[in-house]
Amino acid sequence: MNKLVHLFKFDIKLLRYLYSFPFVAYALCVLLMLSFGSRSDAPFMPYIVVQGIAVPIAGWHLVFLYNSLYEEGAKETLIVYYRKVLVIDIIRYALLHAIFISLLVGLTVWINGPDFFTSTLIVHLIMLFIFYQIIGIAVLSAVQSLDIALAIVATYTFMEVATQGTFMPWPHLFIFREPIDDIPIRLTFLSLGVGILLSAIQLWRKFK
């Protein structure tokens, strides 16, 4: 426990104001959900906020932390350390952000009722959360640039959420309405599964 506390304290000192960014975004999500989520004609709005804003931002801590690995002259020095702590970092930040996502899910249940979250939505949210926990750092390890990595992930996410899945024919990672047709849902789960697998392979290749 003391080691975990030390790691979090070190990360806060390293990132400074950037460390608080995801938590500020969570507060914004709460405001959006309370302001617009209670409309009877938009029952999926709270879930769109959770999956389209909160879950993607939950993975930014790791991207910010591992960006130091790709600063000039730092890789040779830091790669040995990051190899040892990569899995630990992913687990501890997944657990940290899972707490906040759970609170937002609870708010969604409070707004839409306990019957809103079907088994399909629960599995979808879990897979989406895992995907965004590792995709950012996987892209960062491939392009070795914080700006490019964030631009790739943020642009795709924004375009998908803003157009509610109409920007491109495939792949889609989000659910914007009550699942009716099995084929689009299967393709969504397939996209998430492939994304998680490819991200895991990329991280293994770079940090093995």
Side-chain angles (χ1 to χ4, degrees):
M1 180 62 68
N2 290 335
K3 183 178 180 180
L4 286 176
V5 172
H6 172 74
L7 288 173
F8 280 116
K9 286 183 177 179
F10 177 80
D11 294 345
I12 293 172
K13 291 181 180 179
L14 179 65
L15 296 182
R16 293 179 291 180
Y17 69 91
L18 282 177
Y19 197 87
S20 63
F21 181 78
F23 305 115
V24 173
Y26 290 148
L28 175 62
C29 289
V30 171
L31 293 176
L32 289 174
M33 293 168 71
L34 292 176
S35 299
F36 304 104
S38 59
R39 296 180 178 178
S40 59
D41 60 337
F44 251 75
M45 178 58 70
Y47 187 65
I48 292 174
V49 172
V50 173
Q51 67 172 337
I53 300 178
V55 170
I57 287 176
W60 284 24
H61 266 146
L62 287 174
V63 180
F64 293 149
L65 286 173
Y66 279 69
N67 177 54
S68 59
L69 181 62
Y70 300 104
E71 294 177 354
E72 186 175 355
K75 185 173 183 179
E76 292 75 11
T77 305
L78 297 177
I79 187 63
V80 176
Y81 169 75
Y82 281 120
R83 281 172 179 163
K84 295 179 180 179
V85 300
L86 175 63
V87 175
I88 295 175
D89 287 343
I90 291 175
I91 292 175
R92 65 191 177 95
Y93 274 100
L95 292 175
L96 173 66
H97 288 288
I99 295 173
F100 289 92
I101 298 299
S102 297
L103 293 174
L104 293 175
V105 168
L107 180 58
T108 304
V109 171
W110 180 73
I111 293 173
N112 286 340
D115 296 331
F116 175 78
F117 276 98
T118 62
S119 58
T120 299
L121 289 185
I122 293 173
V123 174
H124 172 256
L125 185 60
I126 293 173
M127 291 186 67
L128 190 70
F129 180 76
I130 295 172
F131 173 81
Y132 271 104
Q133 282 298 299
I134 60 177
I135 186 60
I137 189 174
V139 173
L140 176 67
S141 68
V143 301
Q144 301 186 12
S145 168
L146 175 65
D147 294 339
I148 296 176
L150 290 181
I152 292 173
V153 176
T155 300
Y156 170 80
T157 302
F158 175 78
M159 294 304 298
E160 276 291 285
V161 175
T163 64
Q164 297 204 1
T166 61
F167 173 65
M168 59 181 69
W170 192 76
H172 299 300
L173 305 180
F174 305 98
I175 297 176
F176 299 104
R177 56 191 63 87
E178 184 70 27
I180 299 176
D181 194 343
D182 284 343
I183 295 179
I185 294 299
R186 291 176 185 272
L187 289 177
T188 297
F189 284 128
L190 176 62
S191 300
L192 286 170
V194 171
I196 292 171
L197 178 61
L198 292 179
S199 297
I201 292 174
Q202 171 66 15
L203 292 177
W204 180 81
R205 288 178 59 251
K206 290 296 183 178
F207 294 93
K208 64 180 179 179

